[in-house]
Amino acid sequence: MTGKLDIDHLRQWIGRSTEATDIVTAQLVKGLRATLFQDVGEPRTGDAAPFTVHWCLSQPVFPMSMLGPDGHPTRGGFLPPVPLPRRMWAGGEIEFLQPLCVGDESTRTSRIADVQVKSGSTGTLCFVSVEHSISSPRGTAIRERQDIVYREMTGSAPATAKAPPPPPQAQHRETHVSDPVLLFRYSALTFNGHRIHYDRDYVTEVEGYPGLIFHGPLQAALIIEMAAKLRGGKAPKTFTYRGVQPLFEGTEFSINANETEAGLELWAANAEGQPTMKGTAVW
C-alpha cells in the first residue's frame, strides 16, 4: 500500500548533495561501445569514451539486504523517500563541455534541486530533479539535470484511450531490436538492479506491463550518439530530452532525427513508429 505523500517532508531533501569518484576504464568503454552498436575496437588511454559514459560511473552500491522489492535501494538516503512504487527517468538536460577519456578519474557532484507533486492521468506523480556536475582532470566535462518521476501502481491504459497520431517522418533513421540481452548488458554496465529491465515475471505480474522495459538512459544515449554522428562526431552543446511512453523488449525500435534551424529534433520510436522518447540537440 502506498504511504501518504508528505510533500513538505520530501522537500526537506532539496539542497542535499553527495560526491563520488570513479575511473573510465578501457573495459567499460568497450562494453558501452558494444551496447550502443558501435565498433568495439581497442580503446587506449586518452581515447574519448561514448558521450554518456558518466551514467556508468560511480553508481551507488548497496548490500542485498538494503534493496526493495523492485530491485532499487530502499527509499531514503540521498534521494527523498517518495512512497510511490513506480520509479522512472522522466527526462532531463545535459550540457557537454568536453569528453571523458579512457584513464580519466571522474568525480560526480550531485544535488537535489527540486521536489514537486503533480496530478496526471495515472494518478499522483512526484518529480525529483537532481543536478550533477561531472569533472575530469581537465575540469568540468558535463553538467546535467535528471528528472525522476515516481507514480502509483496502476493497471493498463484505459480502453477509451485515443488512437495514436500518424508516426512522424524522419530525415535520418536507424533501426535496432530491443533484445533482452541488450537490456541486461546496459543494466550491468550501470549497476542498475531495477527488475523492470530483466525480470519478466516481476514486470508483467507485479507492475502490469506487457514486457521488459527499455531503459530511458539507454534510449537517450543512442539518441545522443546519433546526433553526434550527424555532426561529424561532435557532441551537442546541450541536449534536452523527455520520455513519452515505455519502449518494450522484443520489438524493432528506431532512432530518428530531423534537421532544424537550431540543431536537431530527435526521437526514439517503437515498432509502430510512435515516439517513446523525444530530444532536442543544439550546437
Side-chain angles (χ1 to χ4, degrees), residues 7-89:
I7 184 59
D8 292 332
H9 175 63
L10 298 177
R11 286 182 63 83
Q12 292 177 16
W13 264 254
I14 294 175
R16 294 195 183 196
S17 63
T18 186
E19 186 174 284
T21 299
D22 205 344
I23 296 174
V24 183
T25 66
Q27 183 68 14
L28 171 61
V29 169
K30 288 173 71 172
L32 186 55
R33 284 178 179 175
T35 306
L36 298 179
F37 305 101
Q38 298 176 351
D39 180 25
V40 175
E42 290 294 338
R44 300 180 182 275
T45 299
D47 289 352
F51 296 110
T52 56
V53 70
H54 63 289
W55 288 339
C56 304
L57 298 171
S58 308
Q59 292 301 311
V61 176
F62 293 87
M64 295 295 292
S65 60
M66 292 182 64
L67 300 182
D70 62 356
H72 272 310
T74 49
R75 306 300 169 88
F78 172 63
L79 289 172
V82 179
L84 298 173
R86 281 184 172 169
R87 170 181 161 180
M88 297 275 194
W89 279 38

Side-chain angles (χ1 to χ4, degrees), residues 37 176-184 212 214 248-251 253:
F37 305 101
H176 305 286
V177 174
S178 56
D179 187 288
V181 178
L182 175 69
L183 306 188
F184 168 79
L212 300 177
F214 202 100
F248 297 103
E249 64 165 318
T251 62
F253 70 96

Side-chain angles (χ1 to χ4, degrees), residues 63-245:
M64 295 295 292
S65 60
M66 292 182 64
L67 300 182
D70 62 356
H72 272 310
T74 49
R75 306 300 169 88
F78 172 63
L79 289 172
V82 179
L84 298 173
R86 281 184 172 169
R87 170 181 161 180
M88 297 275 194
W89 279 38
E93 181 173 279
I94 310 174
E95 181 183 2
F96 293 100
L97 303 174
Q98 56 179 301
L100 292 171
C101 300
V102 176
D104 281 350
E105 182 177 87
S106 171
T107 299
R108 183 186 66 233
T109 303
S110 306
R111 175 184 172 274
I112 305 295
D114 198 11
V115 181
Q116 291 191 14
V117 173
K118 298 180 181 179
S119 223
S121 59
T122 57
T124 301
L125 305 170
C126 183
F127 290 87
V128 177
S129 291
V130 186
E131 293 175 346
H132 303 284
S133 176
I134 295 94
S135 66
S136 76
R138 296 173 298 283
T140 303
I142 296 167
R143 295 192 189 98
E144 177 180 13
R145 186 197 78 249
Q146 289 177 4
D147 299 324
I148 303 166
V149 63
Y150 299 81
R151 64 187 186 91
E152 295 171 287
M153 194 76 76
T154 55
S156 57
T160 55
K162 293 187 294 185
Q169 298 299 306
Q171 294 170 320
H172 309 279
R173 184 172 184 263
E174 60 183 42
T175 61
H176 305 286
V177 174
S178 56
D179 187 288
V181 178
L182 175 69
L183 306 188
F184 168 79
R185 281 183 158 196
Y186 196 73
S187 287
L189 285 167
T190 55
F191 202 68
N192 182 352
H194 199 180
R195 291 170 67 176
I196 64 172
H197 303 304
Y198 61 86
D199 186 337
R200 190 175 291 110
D201 287 346
Y202 172 85
V203 77
T204 57
E205 296 172 13
V206 177
E207 297 220 8
Y209 289 107
L212 300 177
I213 297 175
F214 202 100
H215 310 69
L218 178 52
Q219 292 183 63
L222 290 165
I223 292 172
I224 291 166
E225 294 291 343
M226 183 179 195
K229 193 188 316 183
L230 294 172
R231 289 295 184 271
K234 185 179 180 182
K237 287 183 180 177
T238 59
F239 175 71
T240 306
Y241 65 100
R242 64 182 179 90
V244 292
Q245 64 172 316

